[in-house]
Amino acid sequence: MQQEDELKNDERSESSQQKSQQELIDQGWMLKALLLADKAANLGEVPVGAVVVLDGEIIGQGWNQPIGLHDPTAHAEIIALREAASHVGNYRVVNADLYVTLEPCSMCAGAMVHARVRRVIFGAYEPKSGVIVSQQHFLKQRWLNHDVDYTAGVLADTCSEKLSQFFKARRAQKRLEKERE
């Protein structure tokens, strides 16, 4: 009986260590996505960044560019998925993970299903249009032909703060422009 209890405790400890290790890995990749979000902000775009990782290597990266590219689909996730697909030579990026600083919208979530992404990991929650957990549980729909796992809230405070600072600066700029009129 004591040996069984010890074995269960060892299994729990091992599982906890694996979870802790995965959390550290997720945080590391999210930091890379945050750097890409800065590129978007520097272009006057909403600061969202994304990386697609396969076998411990970034195979696609992107940052929001719908304004600059005059393309409503130029979300960070879509750009990263396009680059990843090109990298592997297939529109499916099987077993890849997508890290993004903001909870994906329906367009991006649909693209992840079509691309056969294994898991999406996001930072900040998007209460208005996020469909992973905030407005909907899109990835849990039974009619989808592929299951995408998800991890929510990785470095959420850092990701949220980046967005908040961007919109705060944007509002201040608009006030200044209004005052000059």
Side-chain angles (χ1 to χ4, degrees):
M1 186 70 160
Q2 185 178 358
Q3 284 180 332
E4 280 182 31
D5 288 342
E6 287 177 13
L7 185 59
K8 287 179 184 176
N9 285 338
D10 286 347
E11 287 173 1
R12 277 191 220 119
S13 176
E14 188 176 305
S15 175
S16 176
Q17 288 173 357
Q18 288 173 344
K19 182 180 179 188
S20 177
Q21 185 179 8
Q22 187 60 57
E23 287 173 356
L24 290 173
I25 291 167
D26 288 348
Q27 289 172 4
W29 292 122
M30 189 61 72
L31 289 171
K32 301 277 189 196
L34 280 161
L35 291 174
L36 295 170
D38 289 337
K39 289 186 173 194
N42 291 338
L43 296 170
E45 304 272 4
V46 175
V48 178
V51 294
V52 179
V53 177
L54 180 64
D55 298 328
E57 175 190 348
I58 293 176
I59 61 168
Q61 62 182 14
W63 54 92
N64 266 7
Q65 299 178 65
I67 298 167
L69 294 179
H70 309 289
D71 179 355
T73 69
H75 290 194
E77 302 95 309
I78 300 297
I79 293 169
L81 284 170
R82 286 177 181 157
E83 190 173 292
S86 179
H87 181 87
V88 298
N90 193 324
Y91 72 102
R92 292 183 173 164
V93 290
V94 178
N95 293 322
D97 296 333
L98 190 148
Y99 293 82
V100 61
T101 58
L102 182 64
E103 181 179 2
C105 69
S106 57
M107 173 185 67
C108 294
M112 288 177 223
V113 170
H114 290 295
R116 303 301 194 262
V117 167
R118 178 178 65 171
R119 184 170 70 114
V120 59
I121 303 91
F122 70 86
Y125 292 85
E126 176 31 303
K128 292 181 181 176
S129 62
V131 299
I132 307 303
V133 295
S134 294
Q135 283 297 322
Q136 189 182 30
H137 292 275
F138 179 83
L139 298 176
K140 301 259 186 221
Q141 302 303 310
R142 287 204 240 163
W143 48 266
L144 293 174
N145 61 355
H146 174 71
D147 291 329
V148 178
D149 292 329
Y150 70 88
T151 301
V154 174
L155 299 180
D157 291 342
T158 305
C159 294
S160 290
E161 184 61 25
K162 187 173 293 293
L163 288 157
S164 294
Q165 290 302 317
F166 173 81
F167 285 112
K168 182 179 179 181
R170 182 183 266 182
R171 286 189 300 273
Q173 180 65 34
K174 287 190 180 208
R175 272 194 301 277
L176 280 173
E177 290 171 4
K178 235 181 189 178
E179 289 173 8
R180 289 182 185 154
E181 290 176 359

